[in-house]
Amino acid sequence: MVSRAIASLDAWLERAEEVLAEQREHAISPSLAPLWDHEQQQVIITMATLTAGLDGLLRTLCTKPGRWILIVERNDRRHLFWQALAFEDGSLVTEVVSNTYLEPDDCWTPAQEEGLTALGWEPPDPPKRPNWLGVEETTTPDIGAVVERALETMTEMFGLEDADEVAVRMFSSPNRGHTPAGPEYDVDSHD
Protein backbone atom coordinates (compact mmCIF):
# COMPACT_ATOMS: atom_id res chain seq x y z
CA MET A 1 0.00 0.00 0.00
CA VAL A 2 1.32 3.44 -0.95
CA SER A 3 1.39 6.03 1.82
CA ARG A 4 -0.42 9.35 1.41
CA ALA A 5 2.91 11.22 1.45
CA ILE A 6 4.36 9.12 -1.37
CA ALA A 7 1.14 9.37 -3.38
CA SER A 8 1.14 13.14 -2.90
CA LEU A 9 4.78 13.43 -3.97
CA ASP A 10 4.17 11.17 -6.97
CA ALA A 11 1.18 13.29 -8.05
CA TRP A 12 3.17 16.49 -7.66
CA LEU A 13 6.10 15.12 -9.69
CA GLU A 14 3.72 13.78 -12.33
CA ARG A 15 2.17 17.25 -12.68
CA ALA A 16 5.66 18.77 -12.98
CA GLU A 17 6.47 16.29 -15.76
CA GLU A 18 3.22 17.21 -17.58
CA VAL A 19 4.14 20.91 -17.43
CA LEU A 20 7.62 20.15 -18.77
CA ALA A 21 6.16 18.10 -21.62
CA GLU A 22 3.69 20.86 -22.54
CA GLN A 23 6.47 23.42 -22.57
CA ARG A 24 8.73 21.24 -24.72
CA GLU A 25 5.90 20.94 -27.26
CA HIS A 26 5.89 24.71 -27.58
CA ALA A 27 9.72 24.77 -27.84
CA ILE A 28 10.19 27.21 -24.99
CA SER A 29 12.30 26.97 -21.90
CA PRO A 30 10.36 25.87 -18.82
CA SER A 31 11.94 28.79 -17.01
CA LEU A 32 10.29 31.27 -19.38
CA ALA A 33 6.81 29.80 -19.14
CA PRO A 34 4.40 30.54 -16.33
CA LEU A 35 4.68 28.32 -13.30
CA TRP A 36 1.94 25.86 -12.53
CA ASP A 37 -0.39 26.35 -9.60
CA HIS A 38 1.56 27.48 -6.53
CA GLU A 39 -0.46 25.10 -4.36
CA GLN A 40 1.11 22.17 -6.22
CA GLN A 41 4.68 23.44 -5.87
CA GLN A 42 5.03 22.51 -2.22
CA VAL A 43 4.52 19.19 -0.55
CA ILE A 44 5.00 18.07 3.04
CA ILE A 45 6.63 14.64 3.21
CA THR A 46 8.54 12.58 5.74
CA MET A 47 12.29 12.45 5.80
CA ALA A 48 12.04 8.76 4.85
CA THR A 49 10.14 9.71 1.68
CA LEU A 50 12.69 12.41 0.86
CA THR A 51 15.54 9.95 1.40
CA ALA A 52 13.90 7.51 -1.02
CA GLY A 53 13.26 10.10 -3.73
CA LEU A 54 15.96 12.80 -3.56
CA ASP A 55 18.46 11.05 -5.83
CA GLY A 56 15.89 10.53 -8.59
CA LEU A 57 14.51 14.05 -8.28
CA LEU A 58 17.95 15.70 -8.51
CA ARG A 59 18.87 13.52 -11.49
CA THR A 60 15.63 14.58 -13.19
CA LEU A 61 16.21 18.28 -12.51
CA CYS A 62 19.79 18.12 -13.81
CA THR A 63 18.63 16.58 -17.10
CA LYS A 64 15.48 18.65 -17.74
CA PRO A 65 15.61 21.86 -19.73
CA GLY A 66 15.55 24.99 -17.62
CA ARG A 67 17.03 26.18 -14.36
CA TRP A 68 15.39 24.60 -11.31
CA ILE A 69 15.41 25.42 -7.61
CA LEU A 70 14.64 22.75 -5.01
CA ILE A 71 14.28 23.73 -1.35
CA VAL A 72 13.92 21.31 1.57
CA GLU A 73 13.02 22.92 4.87
CA ARG A 74 12.34 21.49 8.32
CA ASN A 75 8.59 21.65 8.67
CA ASP A 76 8.75 22.51 12.37
CA ARG A 77 11.61 25.05 12.20
CA ARG A 78 11.30 27.39 9.24
CA HIS A 79 14.45 28.91 7.85
CA LEU A 80 16.47 25.72 8.52
CA PHE A 81 16.90 24.63 4.92
CA TRP A 82 18.98 22.87 2.27
CA GLN A 83 18.54 23.94 -1.34
CA ALA A 84 19.76 22.99 -4.79
CA LEU A 85 20.00 25.00 -7.99
CA ALA A 86 20.11 22.75 -11.07
CA PHE A 87 21.38 24.68 -14.07
CA GLU A 88 20.26 24.23 -17.67
CA ASP A 89 23.55 22.48 -18.57
CA GLY A 90 23.27 19.94 -15.74
CA SER A 91 25.66 21.63 -13.30
CA LEU A 92 24.53 21.98 -9.72
CA VAL A 93 24.94 24.29 -6.71
CA THR A 94 23.70 23.31 -3.25
CA GLU A 95 23.43 25.41 -0.11
CA VAL A 96 22.69 25.12 3.59
CA VAL A 97 21.39 28.08 5.54
CA SER A 98 23.96 30.03 7.54
CA ASN A 99 23.69 32.08 10.70
CA THR A 100 22.96 35.09 8.47
CA TYR A 101 19.35 33.89 8.15
CA LEU A 102 18.84 31.99 11.40
CA GLU A 103 17.25 33.34 14.56
CA PRO A 104 19.73 33.82 17.42
CA ASP A 105 18.44 30.73 19.28
CA ASP A 106 18.81 28.62 16.11
CA CYS A 107 22.29 29.76 15.02
CA TRP A 108 24.92 27.15 14.30
CA THR A 109 27.40 26.72 17.14
CA PRO A 110 31.13 26.67 16.34
CA ALA A 111 31.05 22.86 16.78
CA GLN A 112 28.13 22.57 14.33
CA GLU A 113 29.95 24.79 11.85
CA GLU A 114 32.94 22.43 12.13
CA GLY A 115 30.49 19.60 11.41
CA LEU A 116 29.27 21.35 8.26
CA THR A 117 32.87 21.83 7.13
CA ALA A 118 33.59 18.15 7.84
CA LEU A 119 30.64 17.20 5.62
CA GLY A 120 32.27 19.12 2.75
CA TRP A 121 30.39 22.42 2.82
CA GLU A 122 32.31 25.59 1.94
CA PRO A 123 31.82 28.20 4.68
CA PRO A 124 29.77 31.32 3.98
CA ASP A 125 31.50 34.54 2.98
CA PRO A 126 28.96 37.29 3.73
CA PRO A 127 27.75 39.45 2.17
CA LYS A 128 28.75 37.98 -1.22
CA ARG A 129 27.98 34.36 -0.33
CA PRO A 130 25.76 34.18 2.76
CA ASN A 131 25.15 30.41 2.93
CA TRP A 132 27.19 27.21 3.23
CA LEU A 133 27.95 26.10 -0.32
CA GLY A 134 28.62 23.06 -2.49
CA VAL A 135 29.37 23.57 -6.20
CA GLU A 136 29.41 20.84 -8.86
CA GLU A 137 31.36 22.50 -11.68
CA THR A 138 30.50 19.90 -14.29
CA THR A 139 27.65 19.02 -16.62
CA THR A 140 27.65 15.53 -15.08
CA PRO A 141 27.63 16.14 -11.31
CA ASP A 142 28.13 13.29 -8.86
CA ILE A 143 24.48 13.24 -7.79
CA GLY A 144 25.10 10.35 -5.40
CA ALA A 145 27.70 12.38 -3.46
CA VAL A 146 25.45 15.46 -3.46
CA VAL A 147 22.53 13.42 -2.12
CA GLU A 148 24.71 11.75 0.52
CA ARG A 149 25.98 15.13 1.79
CA ALA A 150 22.44 16.57 1.75
CA LEU A 151 20.97 13.67 3.71
CA GLU A 152 23.87 13.62 6.19
CA THR A 153 23.39 17.35 6.70
CA MET A 154 19.66 16.96 7.28
CA THR A 155 20.04 14.05 9.68
CA GLU A 156 23.22 15.02 11.53
CA MET A 157 22.94 18.80 11.51
CA PHE A 158 19.19 19.43 11.25
CA GLY A 159 18.43 16.50 13.58
CA LEU A 160 15.83 15.00 11.25
CA GLU A 161 14.71 11.39 11.58
CA ASP A 162 12.72 9.22 9.16
CA ALA A 163 9.32 10.17 10.64
CA ASP A 164 10.02 13.92 10.75
CA GLU A 165 8.28 16.09 8.15
CA VAL A 166 9.96 18.41 5.67
CA ALA A 167 8.49 20.97 3.30
CA VAL A 168 9.74 20.44 -0.25
CA ARG A 169 9.37 23.22 -2.81
CA MET A 170 10.44 23.23 -6.43
CA PHE A 171 10.18 26.00 -8.98
CA SER A 172 11.70 27.20 -12.20
CA SER A 173 14.02 30.21 -12.37
CA PRO A 174 13.76 32.61 -15.33
CA ASN A 175 17.41 33.62 -14.93
CA ARG A 176 20.02 32.56 -17.48
CA GLY A 177 23.70 33.20 -17.78
CA HIS A 178 26.90 31.63 -16.62
CA THR A 179 26.78 28.18 -15.02
CA PRO A 180 29.24 26.41 -12.71
CA ALA A 181 30.46 24.34 -15.67
CA GLY A 182 31.25 27.49 -17.68
CA PRO A 183 34.59 29.30 -17.62
CA GLU A 184 33.15 32.64 -16.47
CA TYR A 185 30.97 31.46 -13.57
CA ASP A 186 31.16 33.53 -10.39
CA VAL A 187 30.10 31.41 -7.42
CA ASP A 188 29.15 34.58 -5.53
CA SER A 189 26.55 35.72 -8.08
CA HIS A 190 24.30 32.71 -8.74
CA ASP A 191 20.49 32.73 -8.46
Side-chain angles (χ1 to χ4, degrees):
M1 174 176 243
V2 176
S3 74
R4 284 182 48 209
I6 291 173
S8 175
L9 180 59
D10 287 344
W12 180 62
L13 292 173
E14 183 177 319
R15 177 65 182 132
E17 187 61 39
E18 289 171 9
V19 169
L20 287 170
E22 289 170 10
Q23 292 167 349
R24 277 192 298 270
E25 286 178 18
H26 293 94
I28 62 173
S29 167
S31 295
L32 298 177
L35 296 172
W36 63 91
D37 183 3
H38 286 283
E39 294 300 315
Q40 295 185 13
Q41 288 187 22
Q42 179 170 313
V43 63
I44 305 295
I45 59 174
T46 64
M47 187 63 192
T49 301
L50 178 70
T51 299
L54 185 58
D55 186 277
L57 180 56
L58 276 181
R59 287 182 194 284
T60 298
L61 294 179
C62 286
T63 59
K64 294 294 180 193
R67 191 172 284 194
W68 297 96
I69 299 169
L70 175 68
I71 301 172
V72 178
E73 193 170 31
R74 269 192 74 138
N75 198 36
D76 61 345
R77 282 179 55 201
R78 293 293 186 196
H79 307 295
L80 191 55
F81 65 85
W82 169 90
Q83 65 185 7
L85 174 59
F87 289 82
E88 54 273 15
D89 64 358
S91 54
L92 187 62
V93 170
T94 55
E95 295 183 346
V96 171
V97 67
S98 74
N99 287 344
T100 302
Y101 300 111
L102 292 173
E103 296 295 324
D105 290 343
D106 294 329
C107 282
W108 299 115
T109 65
Q112 289 172 317
E113 288 182 329
E114 287 178 18
L116 288 165
T117 300
L119 288 173
W121 293 102
E122 293 179 35
D125 184 16
K128 297 184 300 182
R129 194 178 68 232
N131 288 320
W132 292 85
L133 187 69
V135 179
E136 297 292 314
E137 299 175 354
T138 176
T139 58
T140 55
D142 184 351
I143 300 295
V146 170
V147 168
E148 183 178 339
R149 182 174 56 224
L151 295 175
E152 286 177 352
T153 299
M154 288 182 233
T155 57
E156 294 174 23
M157 306 307 298
F158 292 12
L160 290 166
E161 298 179 2
D162 283 349
D164 290 328
E165 292 184 334
V166 292
V168 179
R169 289 182 288 151
M170 182 181 73
F171 51 94
S172 175
S173 170
N175 295 340
R176 289 292 183 272
H178 302 297
T179 72
E184 297 175 11
Y185 182 72
D186 178 5
V187 73
D188 296 325
S189 66
H190 67 277
D191 273 327

